[in-house]
């Protein structure tokens, strides 16, 4: 790539966000509207609100809950998914029930889980698990089901069994699908983390943001919205990065297949 | 009609799930106060079905879902095709779309409450925001996937911009658009019910909250099951719609023949 082309690409990536931000900045600058405070004021408040202690007391607990719930969902989802996906009759047995459970909107489970697990951290972690589990589980099932038959039989010929077979054949083959599930699960996870905190909590991002809204601290509320947006973005980038590391072999394989075809 | 073993196993599995739902509280693994037996939920469901409140709530939920989905699909398709057929626009907007898409829709809840209070407007705001991206991104993929040879052929024959979109771009992109529509329909339903539950706009979600805080536990579970049924229904409906809209398409025709 020549320098000019790289410059063009960078300009393309940066241009529109820069224009939009500039528009927001200048159009809101003189704003006296109660609902839309100037962006400059929001950014100034951002520092005061989030980096003076709130980060440790509200953002970190939220992230820990999300992480805990997501990890449990990942382990359960991949474990059960491999089991259900490898045995045909188990899959037929479980599928309708799983499809039904997945169709229940996860936030609806918040009141249910409040009953079962109280309003503490356990409930919030469970809410995240209850939402993240299905995309990971169902995608793993699909991935395991679609393992290449030639590979399966090759493994059988070489008597590759047990743990090696599981890691090298089954999970490896299903990993592109699993990563799709992980990506979906994470975006659901953030939403559920926030919702569970909006419902019943004494700290956390969702709690703080709804508190700002209830006390009509609009500027502070906007900083919360910005922070949530940034968080969603960072986590999405993180997943992209992990995906790129884990699935490098897959992208290479696909590219070479396309190239030869 | 003979049932395939696959279907029989599925029914048995679902039956087992319901049986567990009945037995777990009966044996006392979980207190029936918190998880009533399935039969109680069914009774509560029938009681609900007899009330006008339930049907009004269902209607409110469906209204928010349908309107929001409609707005999101029209916006998503129009903007998606508009951006997609102009390569410069496509490159220019890619980063912004990637930035905006992962912003969780719940971040907008406080804003929606301030702007629309607990009206339909706040539900629509969340539903439209969340389902718009599903449609937009799929439409963009679809337009990108149009066979370049077909587009160049259309240009050689001097099809106008409009005819090119109508006869070349749209049919090629339709499978993607339909996928986007199906995803958006599920997301819209989830967001509609979520918004009702959290913001307190009228609808099934709100009813669940009311039942929980009022201690009508069996009713609450019954309503949760209804939302699950609704979710399955929407999914099945839009899969059908997808097959119908793409009945001329290779992938569907091959499936029918096989």
């Amino acid at each position: 790539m020549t320098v000019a082309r790289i410059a063009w690409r960078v300009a393309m990536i940066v241009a529109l966000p820069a224009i939009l931000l500039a528009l927001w900045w200048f159009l809101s600058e003189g704003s006296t509207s109660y609902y839309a405070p100037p962006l400059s004021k929001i950014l100034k408040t951002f520092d005061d609100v989030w980096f003076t202690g709130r980060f440790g007391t509200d953002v970190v607990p939220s992230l820990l809950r999300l992480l805990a719930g997501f990890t449990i969902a990942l382990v359960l989802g991949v474990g059960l998914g491999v089991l259900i996906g490898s045995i045909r009759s188990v899959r037929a047995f479980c599928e309708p029930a799983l499809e039904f459970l997945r169709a229940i909107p996860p936030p609806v489970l918040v009141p249910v889980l409040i009953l079962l697990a109280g309003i503490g951290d356990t409930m919030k972690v469970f809410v995240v698990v209850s939402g993240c589990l299905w995309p990971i589980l169902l995608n793993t099932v699909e991935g395991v089901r679609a393992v290449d038959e030639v590979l399966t039989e090759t493994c059988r010929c070489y008597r590759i069994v047990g743990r090696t077979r599981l890691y090298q054949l089954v999970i490896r083959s299903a990993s592109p699908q699993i990563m799709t599930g992980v990506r979906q699960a994470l975006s659901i996870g953030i939403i559920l983390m926030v919702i569970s905190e909006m419902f019943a909590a004494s700290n956390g991002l969702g709690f703080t943001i709804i508190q700002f809204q209830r006390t009509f601290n609009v500027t502070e509320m906007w900083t919360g919205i910005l922070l949530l947006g940034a968080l969603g973005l960072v986590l999405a980038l993180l997943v992209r990065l992990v995906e790129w590391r884990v699935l490098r072999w897959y992208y290479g394989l696909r590219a070479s297949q396309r190239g030869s075809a | 009609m003979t049932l395939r073993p696959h279907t029989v196993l599925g029914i048995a599995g679902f039956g087992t799930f319901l049986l567990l739902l009945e037995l777990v509280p009966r044996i006392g693994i979980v207190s029936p106060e918190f998880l009533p037996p399935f039969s109680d939920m069914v009774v509560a469901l029938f009681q609900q079905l007899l009330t006008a409140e339930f049907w009004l709530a269902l209607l409110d939920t469906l209204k928010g879902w349908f309107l929001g989905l409609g707005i999101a699909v029209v916006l998503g398709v129009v903007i998606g095709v508009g951006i997609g057929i102009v390569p410069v626009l496509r490159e220019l907007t890619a980063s912004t779309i990637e930035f905006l898409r992962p912003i969780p829709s719940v971040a907008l809840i406080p804003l929606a409450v301030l702007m629309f209070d607990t009206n339909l407007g706040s539900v629509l705001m969340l539903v439209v925001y969340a389902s718009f991206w599903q449609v937009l991104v799929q439409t963009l993929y679809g337009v990108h996937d149009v066979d370049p040879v077909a587009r160049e052929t259309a240009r050689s024959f001097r099809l106008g911009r409009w005819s090119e979109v109508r006869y070349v771009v749209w049919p090629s992109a339709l499978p993607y658009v339909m996928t986007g529509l199906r995803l958006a329909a599920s997301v819209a339903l989830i967001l509609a019910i979520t918004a009702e539950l959290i913001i307190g706009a009228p609808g099934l979600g709100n009813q669940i909250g009311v039942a929980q805080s009022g201690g009508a536990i069996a009713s609450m579970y019954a309503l949760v099951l209804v939302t699950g049924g609704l979710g399955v229904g929407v999914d099945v409906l839009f899969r059908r719609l997808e097959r119908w809209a793409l009945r001329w398409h290779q992938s569907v025709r091959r499936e029918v023949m096989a």
Side-chain angles (χ1 to χ4, degrees), chain B residues 213-236:
Chain B
S213 53
I217 305 307
S219 295
M220 180 192 80
Y221 278 99
L223 287 168
V224 169
L225 292 183
V226 169
T227 61
L230 219 53
V232 173
V234 165
D235 195 52
V236 170

Side-chain angles (χ1 to χ4, degrees), chain A:
Chain A
M1 249 199 279
T2 61
V3 178
R5 262 208 72 72
I6 294 175
W8 176 249
R9 295 273 321 251
V10 171
M12 277 299 187
I13 291 172
V14 181
L16 191 59
I19 293 173
L20 289 178
L21 276 179
L23 270 182
W24 186 4
W25 181 278
F26 288 114
L27 287 183
S28 68
E29 190 51 52
S31 166
T32 48
S33 159
Y34 179 64
Y35 295 125
L39 181 59
S40 51
K41 194 173 148 204
I42 297 176
L43 290 182
K44 215 177 289 159
T45 320
F46 195 94
D47 249 7
D48 304 337
V49 175
W50 298 105
F51 293 123
T52 49
R54 266 236 166 70
F55 199 80
T57 56
D58 286 312
V59 182
V60 172
S62 287
L63 287 179
L64 284 179
R65 286 171 200 145
L66 177 63
L67 186 71
F70 181 76
T71 314
I72 297 174
L74 185 66
V75 172
L76 269 182
V78 174
L80 287 175
V82 168
L83 192 72
I84 294 173
S86 338
I87 307 169
R88 187 191 284 253
S89 52
V90 175
R91 200 175 71 232
F93 188 75
C94 295
E95 223 159 37
L98 289 180
E99 287 292 336
F100 178 77
L101 285 174
R102 180 180 65 157
I104 296 176
V108 164
L109 295 175
V110 176
V112 174
L113 287 167
I114 287 180
L115 279 179
L116 293 174
I119 56 168
D121 283 343
T122 329
M123 178 276 279
K124 283 161 204 130
V125 172
F126 264 121
V127 169
V128 175
V129 173
S130 72
C132 292
L133 181 61
W134 311 115
I136 299 180
L137 177 64
L138 292 169
N139 274 299
T140 309
V141 170
E142 282 303 308
V144 170
R145 202 175 67 154
V147 173
D148 186 27
E149 269 174 45
V150 178
L151 281 179
T152 317
E153 273 157 28
T154 312
C155 272
R156 202 173 293 155
C157 290
Y158 282 102
R159 305 239 165 125
I160 296 171
V161 287
R163 198 171 282 188
T164 323
R165 183 176 182 278
L166 180 67
Y167 287 128
Q168 299 300 329
L169 172 69
V170 180
I171 293 188
R172 191 40 82 88
S173 304
S175 57
Q177 286 269 8
I178 296 177
M179 282 313 293
T180 308
V182 163
R183 211 172 335 117
Q184 293 169 357
L186 199 67
S187 57
I188 296 176
I190 302 176
I191 292 178
L192 288 176
M193 170 196 88
V194 175
I195 285 179
S196 66
E197 289 169 356
M198 283 180 172
F199 244 83
S202 51
N203 66 356
L205 261 174
F207 167 77
T208 316
I209 292 176
I210 219 75
Q211 210 60 28
F212 285 145
Q213 176 240 314
R214 289 201 180 130
T215 48
F216 296 99
N217 286 316
V218 179
T219 312
E220 283 81 355
M221 183 194 87
W222 271 103
T223 65
I225 293 177
L226 282 186
L227 183 65
L228 264 185
L231 198 66
L233 188 68
V234 169
L235 288 177
L237 284 178
L238 221 61
V239 171
R240 187 78 66 80
L241 207 69
V242 172
E243 198 175 325
W244 183 76
R245 284 278 310 165
V246 174
L247 298 183
R248 227 168 3 175
W249 62 274
Y250 173 71
Y251 296 136
L253 183 74
R254 216 171 45 172
S256 73
Q257 275 171 350
R258 286 241 174 104
S260 66

